[in-house]
Amino acid sequence: MSSFDEILSKHELSKEEIMTLLAAEGEEMSRLFRKSLETKLKHLDNCVHLRGLIEYSNRCAKYCLYCGVRAKNTKVERYTLTDDEVLECARLAHQLGYGSVAIQSGERDDKDFVNKIEYLVREIKKIDNGSLGITLSLGEQTEETYRRWFDAGAHRYLLRIEASDEELYYKIHPKDKRHDFKRRIECIDNLLSIGYQTGTGVMVGLPFQTLDNLANDLLFFKNKDVAMVGMGPFIPHPDTPLYEHKDRIPSAKERMNLTLKMIAVLRLMMPEINMVAATANQTVDPLGREKAIAVGANVIMPNLTPNEFRENYLIYPDKACVNDKPDQCQTCLDVRMASIGHKVLYNAWGDSKAFLNSH
Ligand code: 5AD
Ligand code: FES
């Protein structure tokens, strides 16, 4: 057996081994992808879970240097969905058999916002007697807020660390009270201890990011023992400060391959977690989501935001599916998943097996 195949057959990977896998090209990269798919099928079968994505609001109090909806981008028209619009999206998710919704928003932590989310979670829970699972992705909040939303019925929370290396974190966020690396870690710890199925993740192909950083990101996920991970290629947005470094990042193809390798290696390290095939994958490659599923991801988040608002939620440019209607997405997803030997699992929450086994 070659030393590469020896690494592939291990259950515990050292940082050096992770870096070797992340550097794989050509035939070795294909062997990595075969192994990660095999691992996923063995532990999780060929099922893909859906989360209907509701982009609740693009109002945001933060200045993340990569993000198109950052507070300082004056080109964006700001919106917040009405209660009826949110509940209509949730009912649509239920009708389409998606099983779960994910509410995502720009970051706010004022009282009105916190109360509103609590109310919306309770209302969504009333649909067909609590049949929809609820994921929240609403940024950094106090422990009390996280607890209130959990008590209201949300059971999963996504908070990407974005970069687990403190130095890199401050290259992509301003260094101030509003963007505090330690606080972000604390938030993830709070989510875990409250009992959420907690998800985190990073962008791949950021300026200044090294292979060493990426290997440490994977070890960070493993150390925190998170239930879910989302990773997608970085896409430079012209109306953000990080755009000035767009020539320092790998090509779109390289960012895509690196994202796929990150997903594949993490699947070997954490065989039972939920991993999303991020929409950003489809932006850099029309078959990006299928490729992510085929190397180890098992969740897709079709967009349910009313079409008239989607143009205003462009975290990065050329986001996929901005003009598609939700029911088009459904047929499209069935066909796309069948094309790679997978099937969409309808009417199920699709909880993380890793989480269920450890609780
Ligand atoms: N390119 C790729 N992903 C991005 N995100 C934000 N901005 C970009 C970008 N320019 C990701 C972040 C965030 C998620 C909602 O979208 O990781 O957590
Ligand atoms: Fe939206 Fe395919 S998922 S059109």
Side-chain angles (χ1 to χ4, degrees):
M1 214 194 296
S2 76
S3 62
F4 190 81
D5 290 312
E6 253 168 55
I7 299 176
L8 282 183
S9 64
K10 290 191 177 178
H11 292 293
E12 294 290 328
L13 296 174
S14 69
K15 185 163 145 196
E16 286 63 36
E17 289 166 339
I18 293 172
M19 286 175 70
T20 303
L21 296 182
L22 292 179
E25 300 285 346
E27 174 53 30
E28 283 188 339
M29 183 167 78
S30 308
R31 293 220 291 279
L32 164 64
F33 292 164
R34 273 201 297 277
K35 182 73 185 185
S36 60
L37 175 61
E38 191 188 298
T39 306
K40 182 185 74 166
L41 294 176
K42 187 166 131 206
H43 290 267
L44 304 176
D45 212 343
N46 65 345
C47 295
V48 174
H49 304 299
L50 301 182
R51 321 274 179 243
L53 176 64
I54 305 172
E55 293 159 332
Y56 173 59
S57 171
N58 64 358
R59 292 182 198 280
C60 188
K62 296 186 95 174
Y63 306 150
C64 304
L65 302 178
Y66 45 83
C67 182
V69 303
R70 63 199 301 274
K72 289 192 175 167
N73 184 2
T74 50
K75 291 194 190 164
V76 178
E77 199 184 314
R78 304 288 163 171
Y79 75 88
T80 300
L81 299 185
T82 63
D83 297 356
D84 278 352
E85 283 163 341
V86 173
L87 297 174
E88 202 41 55
C89 285
R91 281 191 282 270
L92 180 61
H94 183 51
Q95 271 163 30
L96 294 171
Y98 285 0
S100 286
V101 289
I103 306 179
Q104 197 178 76
S105 171
E107 199 167 307
R108 278 174 55 189
D109 60 3
D110 52 282
K111 219 168 127 205
D112 286 351
F113 181 79
V114 172
N115 290 340
K116 176 63 81 183
I117 296 296
E118 184 179 19
Y119 166 78
L120 289 170
V121 169
R122 288 195 194 280
E123 289 301 305
I124 292 173
K125 272 289 157 197
K126 288 183 188 160
I127 298 172
D128 198 14
N129 286 321
S131 60
L132 281 172
I134 303 182
T135 307
L136 298 180
S137 180
L138 306 168
E140 295 169 28
Q141 304 289 342
T142 63
E143 189 175 354
E144 190 209 335
T145 298
Y146 285 148
R147 214 173 274 284
R148 275 175 58 190
W149 292 344
F150 186 76
D151 292 341
H155 63 131
R156 307 188 192 107
Y157 203 103
L158 302 171
L159 185 68
R160 288 190 180 179
I161 187 68
E162 313 295 359
S164 69
D165 177 81
E166 188 163 355
E167 216 177 298
L168 180 58
Y169 188 86
Y170 287 122
K171 289 206 160 94
I172 62 171
H173 299 93
K175 195 165 187 175
D176 60 22
K177 255 180 35 210
R178 234 184 265 238
H179 306 81
D180 184 329
F181 178 72
K182 296 218 163 49
R183 168 147 203 258
R184 204 160 180 90
I185 304 255
E186 255 169 48
C187 283
I188 294 173
D189 290 338
N190 286 339
L191 290 164
L192 286 163
S193 72
I194 289 168
Y196 278 100
Q197 286 179 52
T198 304
T200 188
V202 293
M203 286 172 284
V204 180
L206 287 164
F208 316 108
Q209 190 181 48
T210 62
L211 221 52
D212 190 273
N213 290 146
L214 290 168
N216 281 331
D217 288 337
L218 298 182
L219 289 166
F220 172 84
F221 306 150
K222 175 98 181 166
N223 285 338
K224 291 283 174 203
D225 195 20
V226 293
M228 318 180 292
V229 170
M231 296 183 281
F234 166 63
I235 301 165
H237 190 302
D239 303 322
T240 62
L242 218 54
Y243 195 71
E244 71 172 291
H245 298 299
K246 68 176 189 327
D247 300 326
R248 308 175 69 130
I249 61 171
S251 70
K253 183 156 185 251
E254 285 166 332
R255 276 177 281 143
M256 183 72 215
N257 278 343
L258 202 49
T259 303
L260 295 175
K261 286 188 272 187
M262 287 286 281
I263 293 172
V265 177
L266 189 61
R267 181 53 75 200
L268 303 182
M269 296 166 67
M270 304 181 81
E272 300 193 331
I273 60 166
N274 275 350
M275 251 193 285
V276 67
T279 312
N281 289 306
Q282 202 184 346
T283 298
V284 296
D285 179 337
L287 292 178
R289 283 187 308 182
E290 286 86 335
K291 288 181 181 173
I293 296 286
V295 303
N298 67 325
V299 174
I300 287 187
M301 297 171 63
N303 200 339
L304 286 176
T305 313
N307 288 75
E308 67 219 83
F309 298 109
R310 291 189 195 182
E311 284 288 351
N312 293 319
Y313 203 88
L314 295 184
I315 318 180
Y316 45 82
D318 304 320
K319 229 169 99 184
C321 295
V322 163
N323 297 314
D324 298 313
K325 292 264 185 290
D327 49 340
Q328 286 174 332
C329 278
Q330 192 188 30
T331 331
C332 158
L333 284 174
D334 280 335
V335 173
R336 283 171 179 260
M337 291 306 113
S339 77
I340 49 167
H342 280 66
K343 62 169 191 278
V344 176
L345 199 70
Y346 287 100
N347 302 304
W349 282 10
D351 284 331
S352 154
K353 196 171 166 193
F355 180 87
L356 296 177
N357 285 345
S358 65
H359 284 75

